[in-house]
Amino acid sequence: MTTTTIITAGSAAEFLSLLPRMLGFRPRRSLVLVPFARTRTLGAMRLDLPADDDDAEAFAATCVGMVCRVASADSVALVVFDDAPFDADGTPPRDDVARAFVSKADACGLAIVDALCVAADGWGSSVRPELSPRPLAELAVGPSGAELLAEPDGDQWVGCELPEVDSTDAAAVESALAALADAVAVLCADAPARDETKRVDPRALEAAVGLDDLPALFERMLEWDASELEPFDAATAVWCLSRPALRDIALVGWTAGPQLGDEALAAQLRWEKGEPYPAELAQIMWGEGTQPEPARLLRALGVVRAVAAPAPEQHRAGPLAVCAWLSWALGRSTHAESYAKRALEADPEHGLAEIVLSFVAAGHLPDWAFSRS
């Protein structure tokens, strides 16, 4: 049974104190949009504030368009988080962005719940001058029930760093990758020639045999303990995620379920024989289709982060690009951008990383980010 906890903010100050807990981080240099359906929130979106010399009107139009895509949204609250102080006359920082958004929202028939700002020296509102500025100390007390949500310990970049690994663990994964390559060469008749006198690690052979049923392997990965991965498990994942054809099967399965993972494998085999790739599978990679289960994507992301951390530099781009895509699929474009950039540092021509980075640059989110299950 699923239970829903409702936390009611009775004032703007309580709403602002609750918002970082809702987001899971404390925004910096950001515009946060909170769509509402009647009096219930429908989640939140965070965007980087535009540069001072950028077109605030164009930025606001893009933001309003994103809110209008949210199913059932009839109003929105916006909050500017900035490191600058209020002006001497009480005007909040980046008031140009807030007022442009309010104007564009009004033109679209989207009601404004409030247009708030959290600045370096206080908080206030662009539409209620009597609130500006108020002391930041007022945001220390949240509404009843706020303690049920974890207190964030960083800004929007928190969680982007890969888990720390020591050199011994990294060397074990690198050795396992080499052994896995030997095992695959033994099992595949068309593999490159190898030294027949060299002993094949039985653990590598066992891992290679697991490649015989890829969708089942990728499902098992969701159950792995990301904090205690065995070297050959990590090596198997790196080996698969470094190969685009196998990686895409994993992403389809993790996003749409094991049945479609099987279909993705069959479609990939047919495509290699010259048949067209099914549009209903391809659209998943572009963020279209049925809303995935966030829990599956989060488990996959946790495992792939743990896999990318000890991977040798020359093999790290694949797992990092998968981290980028999974983050993007979860609506975490900030994290997606970070992972994609690191993937391109490892491989400047990595296709998936380039695609995700282009998504982020264009402000493109998956369709399911704008709907609720």
Side-chain angles (χ1 to χ4, degrees):
M1 178 182 295
T2 300
T3 59
T4 301
T5 301
I6 299 175
I7 302 175
T8 302
S11 67
E14 288 189 348
F15 175 73
L16 289 176
S17 69
L18 179 63
L19 190 54
R21 292 176 182 263
M22 288 174 53
L23 293 167
F25 56 85
R26 295 191 175 279
R28 290 194 62 205
R29 291 283 302 155
S30 301
L31 173 66
V32 175
L33 306 172
V34 183
F36 283 78
R38 297 186 180 180
T39 59
R40 296 284 183 88
T41 60
L42 299 173
M45 308 177 195
R46 189 209 69 85
L47 300 98
D48 290 332
L49 285 171
D52 291 338
D53 56 352
D54 284 349
D55 188 343
E57 295 287 332
F59 174 74
T62 299
C63 294
V64 170
M66 295 177 69
V67 176
C68 289
R69 291 182 62 189
V70 178
S72 305
D74 54 25
S75 58
V76 61
L78 61 140
V79 185
V80 171
F81 289 86
D82 198 67
D83 297 333
F86 279 76
D87 290 345
D89 62 0
T91 301
R94 297 320 305 263
D95 194 49
D96 58 329
V97 171
R99 292 193 175 279
F101 185 94
V102 170
S103 175
K104 300 293 183 184
D106 181 66
C108 293
L110 191 65
I112 296 294
V113 175
D114 210 335
L116 300 166
C117 176
V118 179
D121 58 348
W123 69 274
S125 170
S126 291
V127 294
R128 291 192 286 166
E130 69 276 9
L131 288 181
S132 298
R134 301 289 301 173
L136 291 173
E138 294 180 348
L139 307 185
V141 180
S144 176
E147 66 279 0
L148 298 175
L149 300 176
E151 180 74 28
D153 58 2
D155 60 19
Q156 59 265 26
W157 297 101
V158 68
C160 283
E161 293 303 318
L162 295 176
E164 292 187 4
V165 294
D166 60 36
S167 57
T168 302
D169 291 338
V173 172
E174 186 170 17
S175 177
L177 265 170
L180 179 59
D182 283 343
V184 170
V186 167
L187 295 176
C188 298
D190 59 347
R194 58 175 298 275
D195 183 357
E196 297 294 341
T197 64
K198 185 178 180 181
R199 178 180 179 272
V200 178
D201 191 317
R203 297 170 297 174
L205 282 172
E206 182 181 4
V209 169
L211 300 173
D212 189 55
D213 189 345
L214 288 167
L217 171 63
F218 295 137
E219 281 298 300
R220 290 197 301 274
M221 286 184 185
L222 296 181
E223 305 305 322
W224 289 354
D225 184 346
S227 64
E228 297 183 2
L229 283 183
E230 294 294 331
F232 277 93
D233 285 341
T236 301
V238 171
W239 194 89
C240 291
L241 300 179
S242 297
R243 289 159 171 77
L246 309 191
R247 173 204 69 207
D248 291 352
I249 295 169
L251 291 179
V252 169
W254 290 337
T255 304
Q259 181 176 344
L260 283 186
D262 287 333
E263 292 182 19
L265 171 58
Q268 181 65 37
L269 294 173
R270 291 194 301 270
W271 180 82
E272 290 176 2
K273 294 179 181 178
E275 297 184 28
Y277 195 83
E280 62 271 17
L281 295 179
Q283 70 178 5
I284 294 172
M285 298 296 295
W286 302 102
E288 300 174 6
T290 304
Q291 184 179 23
E293 295 180 26
R296 285 177 63 84
L297 298 184
L298 286 169
R299 287 200 301 271
L301 178 58
V303 169
V304 180
R305 276 168 40 84
V307 163
E313 184 66 25
Q314 68 270 28
H315 297 290
R316 192 172 291 170
L320 281 171
V322 170
C323 287
W325 191 92
L326 290 168
S327 297
W328 172 78
L330 284 162
R332 301 175 176 181
S333 290
T334 302
H335 289 198
E337 180 182 23
S338 175
Y339 290 128
K341 285 182 175 179
R342 276 179 281 177
L344 290 172
E345 289 174 1
D347 178 2
E349 297 182 353
H350 196 280
L352 181 61
E354 290 180 334
I355 289 171
V356 173
L357 208 55
S358 70
F359 284 168
V360 174
H364 172 62
L365 287 172
D367 284 350
W368 54 68
F370 300 95
S371 62
R372 302 186 74 190
S373 58

